[in-house]
Amino acid sequence: MVSQIRFLMCAPDHYDVDYVINPWMEGNIHKSSRDRAVEQWNKLYNVIKDHAIVDLVAPEKGWPDMVFSANAGLVLGENVVLSRFLHKERQGEEPYFQRWFEENGFNVYTLPKDLPFEGAGDALLDREGRWLWAGYGFRSELDSHPFLAKWLDIEVISLRLMDERFYHLDTCFCPLANGYLLYYPGAFDSYSNRVIEMRVAPEKRIAIMEADAVNFACNAVNVDSIVIMNKASDSLKSRLAEVGFQVIETPLTEFLKAGGAAKCLTLRVTEPVREELHANVSVESRVVRMEGHLLDAGLINRALDLIVEMGGSFQVLKFNLGEQRQSTSAAEVRVSAPSHDVMEEIISQLIDLGAVDLPQDERDSKLEPVLQAGVAPDDFYVSTIYPTEVRVNGQWLKVENQRMDGAIAISQTSNGIVAKCKLLRDLEIGEQVVVDVLGIRTIRKAESREQRNSQEFSFMSSGVSSERRVELVVEQVAWELRKIKDSGGKVVVTAGPVVIHTGGGEHLSRLIREGYVQGLLGGNAIAVHDMEQNILGTSLGVDMKRGVAVRGGHRHHLKVINTVRRFGSIAKAVEAGAVRGGVMYECVKNNIPFSLAGSIRDDGPLPDTQMNLILAQQEYSQIIQGADMILMLSSMLHSIGVGNMTPAGVKMVCVDINPAVVTKLSDRGSIESVGVVTDVGLFLSLLLQQLDKLTSPYVANVG
Ligand code: ARG
């Protein structure tokens, strides 16, 4: 039976693979056989003609891809949105397709220049006419989707393509009659897969495997219960048969060489309109402004990359390049995202890079009340390490207690309105919390180039061997320690027991004694092993001088814990003369505050160990208050804990033998953190040698 459905096709008179604009064309230039292509095309034409009406558009010389009429435009009812090809290789097809549409009574819409959209190759109507699925990521721009919604008055659902082999939506996605969907999930990002799953019930989804996908099984023409395609596996055929579809295979291998098959070779030109449905598009856009050393510091690349990585797209509206080495650049970027959720994710990251709204778009932060103590409103903005401001009643307020992974709470105090970073557990009923991503900015000082180089750890440059890197880090850290000490600044050390096992205890003790350390953070173990070494000469039962295990030594640390428990605290044990040296001794003697955070594996614990972790976190954050530098020595747990509560601007040096720990900590996206993979005992010993060099008086070598 021939239905009234019409398809537009274009004979392959001039078809060939003449250039490469998709991965299928690679290696296939002039490799397709004209005769076989004609034969395959005719077969397809006849199969379709058995089931529907086929119209023809005249092929044009010099436009070899014109056979792929799916890319002529997108039709709905009387209206058609003409394609704007991304590649110049196909742009010449546009006027021929336009003429055909106009001659056949269609109302033709044309997109602005430079806004690519490749027609029904990237936009597929739900076969029930409920909405339009529109692809982006390779050929079509996300920003074309709002035009489709407006002109065709239909809801548009944007799907992001991720696999360049499936560069057009119709290569991996095929809506079928009765609400079924044939598709290859691997071609989409996870967000789009979720969108698909939310729209199409599980029993209606026919997800195919890669083997079928690369045979272009999704590039199928569906007429009622018939599905015409290049090739399908037996399992796919039976899967489709189960739900009432009959597969007709017709080989299209010559066209696969250009990256197309059955669906690409056709354009359905009868698409009935459902009058009761109207436009709706979830694509959002927003213009942000960035200023600073956009090029030198790689800020603009990072911003644009992250927009695309996260599923959005962008247009650079303005870019004022700073011409002098010193001058900063400014850019205005229009960001588009397929939905508000994605927009929020993108903007929150752009905020970290210093992006702000245009002055005329500035708005107050969106606030929602805390309804349950210790629980934030769902959509709360998650704070970062960067100094942040929020806009309340038209005023920008600096956020206090900046740290990451908190919520920003706004409260009315006697000093006026205050914005504070708070941990979830500390939120109180009645406070307002910043939600969404409006009216939030981070303050980035655009330092001069020279300043930038001196303020950051400038040896971060790659291409440095790991041995040399250790030396460089040591030199720089010694220099910083010296400077901070001279200026009365603050250095906090987090240390694990490995410091003691590797013989670093004496060095760390000296750093404390000589005034380089203003706070110490650790757990039960470092204190126990440090005192064990000083009382009994062993660390976890190993003789520190000879490096051998001492008989019964595994009990040593318990005896030490017991002794300190008898005195009631480390300080009292020190005062009583039971501990006569070491890290803890120096802390007590020099009035250096320390905090030992407990954990499930602690023996004892020492009386000083804080087993209430919430209190321990509070003690830690008090000690790091106002720190200029934090030295993290071989303690993954305590170092990460500290990293989480430290705002940007504090220099962090992480030393660990395990590269994973170092990467995790030094990769805060801030220039002030640096990591070095090495033995911590060795590091400390080199550090002291270097400090000695810096502090010993210069003696000229005369004679
Ligand atoms: N060589 C063509 C291109 O890369 C193939 C187009 C396939 N068409 C389609 N609707 N998927 O543009």
Side-chain angles (χ1 to χ4, degrees):
M1 189 198 72
V2 177
S3 79
Q4 288 310 295
I5 297 171
R6 306 180 84 93
F7 288 93
L8 176 67
M9 292 181 70
C10 176
D13 302 15
H14 307 292
Y15 170 69
D16 197 355
V17 180
D18 274 356
Y19 44 75
V20 176
I21 56 172
N22 69 49
W24 304 91
M25 299 173 102
E26 257 158 40
N28 274 328
I29 289 192
H30 305 317
K31 292 272 172 63
S32 68
S33 140
R34 172 67 49 83
D35 293 347
R36 213 172 317 133
V38 170
E39 184 195 316
Q40 291 182 342
W41 186 89
N42 280 325
K43 263 204 190 130
L44 174 70
Y45 173 77
N46 287 319
V47 175
I48 296 181
K49 264 186 82 144
D50 287 343
H51 302 279
I53 303 162
V54 180
D55 294 326
L56 290 172
V57 52
E60 296 290 338
K61 194 151 184 284
W63 303 106
D65 271 338
M66 209 177 150
V67 275
F68 297 114
S69 54
N71 300 121
L74 170 68
V75 176
L76 179 57
E78 319 255 80
N79 296 318
V80 46
V81 179
L82 193 71
S83 284
R84 275 245 181 265
F85 286 95
L86 174 71
H87 296 109
K88 62 175 181 336
E89 286 85 347
R90 294 199 64 182
Q91 286 164 357
E93 300 170 31
E94 291 167 16
Y96 301 115
F97 286 131
Q98 175 161 14
R99 193 171 63 203
W100 187 90
F101 286 124
E102 282 165 357
E103 284 173 2
N104 286 271
F106 287 94
N107 178 22
V108 180
Y109 288 97
T110 51
L111 286 156
K113 280 219 169 356
D114 300 322
L115 188 56
F117 165 66
E118 299 204 345
D122 261 337
L124 300 166
L125 285 149
D126 165 61
R127 286 268 55 87
E128 312 293 294
R130 295 168 295 182
W131 53 71
L132 178 73
W133 300 101
Y136 70 102
F138 294 105
R139 298 295 184 86
S140 301
E141 228 352 279
L142 183 58
D143 281 328
S144 65
H145 296 179
F147 287 95
L148 307 180
K150 183 171 80 184
W151 290 333
L152 304 178
D153 192 19
I154 191 165
E155 176 179 9
V156 176
I157 303 174
S158 305
L159 300 176
R160 180 186 178 204
L161 299 166
M162 296 293 285
D163 181 332
E164 60 170 350
R165 295 172 301 172
F166 306 104
Y167 58 93
H168 273 142
L169 184 63
D170 68 359
T171 61
C172 51
F173 193 90
C174 183
L176 300 175
N178 299 321
Y180 284 96
L181 172 67
L182 179 69
Y183 77 121
Y184 173 54
F188 299 92
D189 72 357
S190 57
Y191 180 81
S192 302
N193 271 301
R194 229 181 327 130
V195 169
I196 295 168
E197 286 160 18
M198 268 153 43
R199 284 289 167 139
V200 185
E203 68 277 11
K204 296 277 180 177
R205 299 196 294 260
I206 305 166
I208 67 167
M209 308 288 270
E210 189 173 1
D212 273 317
V214 295
N215 280 326
F216 273 61
C218 289
N219 199 251
V221 178
N222 172 219
V223 183
D224 305 323
S225 63
I226 306 281
V227 186
I228 305 159
M229 64 176 78
N230 169 55
K231 196 173 156 55
S233 62
D234 289 341
S235 64
L236 176 57
K237 274 184 261 184
S238 52
R239 175 90 179 80
L240 283 165
E242 272 166 36
V243 291
F245 292 102
Q246 184 206 338
V247 174
I248 300 180
E249 292 177 84
T250 179
L252 292 161
T253 48
E254 291 313 305
F255 298 97
L256 249 60
K257 293 175 183 167
K263 162 65 174 58
C264 304
L265 292 165
T266 61
L267 174 70
R268 186 163 161 154
V269 287
T270 42
E271 293 282 11
V273 180
R274 292 203 18 196
E275 296 296 344
E276 78 281 14
L277 299 177
H278 296 288
N280 182 359
V281 53
S282 44
V283 176
E284 276 191 18
S285 353
R286 205 167 139 172
V287 178
V288 295
R289 184 182 157 80
M290 301 191 60
E291 221 180 298
H293 293 285
L294 299 183
L295 292 181
D296 294 1
L299 269 180
I300 193 77
N301 318 24
R302 260 156 71 201
L304 301 183
D305 283 353
L306 88 83
I307 294 171
V308 174
E309 270 159 30
M310 302 191 65
S313 83
F314 64 82
Q315 215 185 330
V316 178
L317 303 176
K318 281 191 195 156
F319 195 103
N320 291 329
L321 187 59
E323 283 164 19
Q324 307 294 327
R325 208 151 58 101
Q326 288 303 330
S327 42
T328 57
S329 311
E332 282 178 24
V333 180
R334 193 180 126 100
V335 183
S336 301
S339 69
H340 183 70
D341 287 354
V342 176
M343 183 62 101
E344 258 186 49
E345 280 170 31
I346 294 175
I347 295 290
S348 64
Q349 301 234 20
L350 290 178
I351 289 174
D352 296 349
L353 294 180
V356 295
D357 285 319
L358 300 182
Q360 64 271 28
D361 297 343
E362 264 187 16
R363 300 231 249 126
D364 275 358
S365 310
K366 216 166 135 189
L367 304 180
E368 271 178 32
V370 174
L371 298 175
Q372 185 184 342
V375 179
D378 265 344
D379 197 18
F380 75 100
Y381 171 80
V382 180
S383 66
T384 65
I385 60 174
Y386 306 107
T388 304
E389 291 184 348
V390 290
R391 192 169 179 271
V392 181
N393 300 336
Q395 300 289 329
W396 287 99
L397 295 179
K398 174 141 179 46
V399 176
E400 296 170 16
N401 287 352
Q402 192 65 47
R403 57 158 294 155
M404 69 191 224
D405 295 348
I408 298 177
I410 310 289
S411 47
Q412 185 74 50
T413 70
S414 46
N415 294 331
I417 301 176
V418 173
K420 250 190 198 156
C421 270
K422 283 187 114 181
L423 293 172
L424 294 180
R425 63 177 183 242
D426 296 329
L427 291 172
E428 290 160 34
I429 295 181
E431 281 177 324
Q432 300 280 327
V433 166
V434 175
V435 297
D436 207 301
V437 285
L438 299 171
I440 306 171
R441 67 185 187 195
T442 57
I443 304 305
R444 289 267 167 144
K445 351 176 223 339
E447 325 88 345
S448 72
R449 271 178 81 101
E450 277 65 25
Q451 242 181 332
R452 197 151 45 82
N453 286 338
S454 65
Q455 279 177 3
E456 74 191 63
F457 289 116
S458 40
F459 47 73
M460 293 285 289
S461 52
S462 51
V464 178
S465 75
S466 53
E467 298 81 43
R468 180 70 189 127
R469 190 179 158 87
V470 174
E471 286 171 23
L472 286 171
V473 175
V474 165
E475 281 167 26
Q476 189 111 12
V477 171
W479 176 250
E480 296 286 343
L481 285 177
R482 172 73 204 278
K483 270 199 316 192
I484 295 172
K485 183 181 166 189
D486 289 351
S487 62
K490 181 169 180 182
V491 174
V492 175
V493 172
T494 65
V498 177
V499 170
I500 310 298
H501 306 325
T502 56
E506 53 172 306
H507 307 304
L508 181 54
S509 307
R510 234 191 95 190
L511 282 179
I512 300 170
R513 187 163 60 243
E514 294 180 5
Y516 290 106
V517 178
Q518 283 69 42
L520 178 74
L521 307 171
N524 194 59
I526 173 146
V528 173
H529 297 301
D530 166 61
M531 291 183 290
E532 176 190 341
Q533 193 199 340
N534 282 283
I535 299 174
L536 298 164
T538 56
S539 174
L540 209 56
V542 173
D543 184 312
M544 290 302 288
K545 293 243 159 58
R546 294 180 298 140
V548 290
V550 176
R551 192 184 304 245
H554 63 281
R555 283 194 291 264
H556 282 183
H557 78 279
L558 286 168
K559 300 204 165 149
V560 169
I561 292 172
N562 194 47
T563 306
V564 178
R565 288 182 69 85
R566 178 171 304 120
F567 287 104
S569 73
I570 296 173
K572 286 185 186 147
V574 169
E575 296 313 334
V579 182
R580 293 157 189 269
V583 174
M584 300 318 296
Y585 170 88
E586 297 297 349
C587 283
V588 172
K589 285 293 180 194
N590 295 286
N591 276 321
I592 301 304
F594 61 85
S595 170
L596 307 176
S599 79
I600 191 103
R601 53 174 289 185
D602 288 343
D603 286 330
L606 290 168
D608 303 72
T609 302
Q610 179 53 270
M611 297 305 284
N612 177 333
L613 281 183
I614 292 185
L615 292 182
Q617 286 188 348
Q618 286 168 4
E619 285 177 21
Y620 264 48
S621 82
Q622 248 153 37
I623 290 180
I624 63 167
Q625 217 50 249
D628 300 287
M629 166 142 84
I630 300 183
L631 253 182
M632 301 173 156
L633 307 175
S634 288
S635 170
M636 173 159 80
L637 210 56
H638 304 102
S639 301
I640 293 174
V642 168
N644 291 348
M645 47 182 94
T646 309
V650 181
K651 293 188 163 131
M652 290 196 337
V653 181
C654 175
V655 185
D656 206 295
I657 198 78
N658 178 355
V661 176
V662 170
T663 316
K664 179 147 176 69
L665 273 151
S666 58
D667 192 19
R668 305 209 316 161
S670 83
I671 53 170
E672 311 99 348
S673 51
V674 60
V676 51
V677 177
T678 190
D679 176 272
V680 68
L682 177 70
F683 175 86
L684 284 170
S685 119
L686 293 173
L687 182 63
L688 277 141
Q689 279 173 28
Q690 185 63 25
L691 276 170
D692 284 342
K693 274 196 214 159
L694 287 176
T695 43
S696 59
Y698 176 74
V699 183
N701 214 352
V702 208

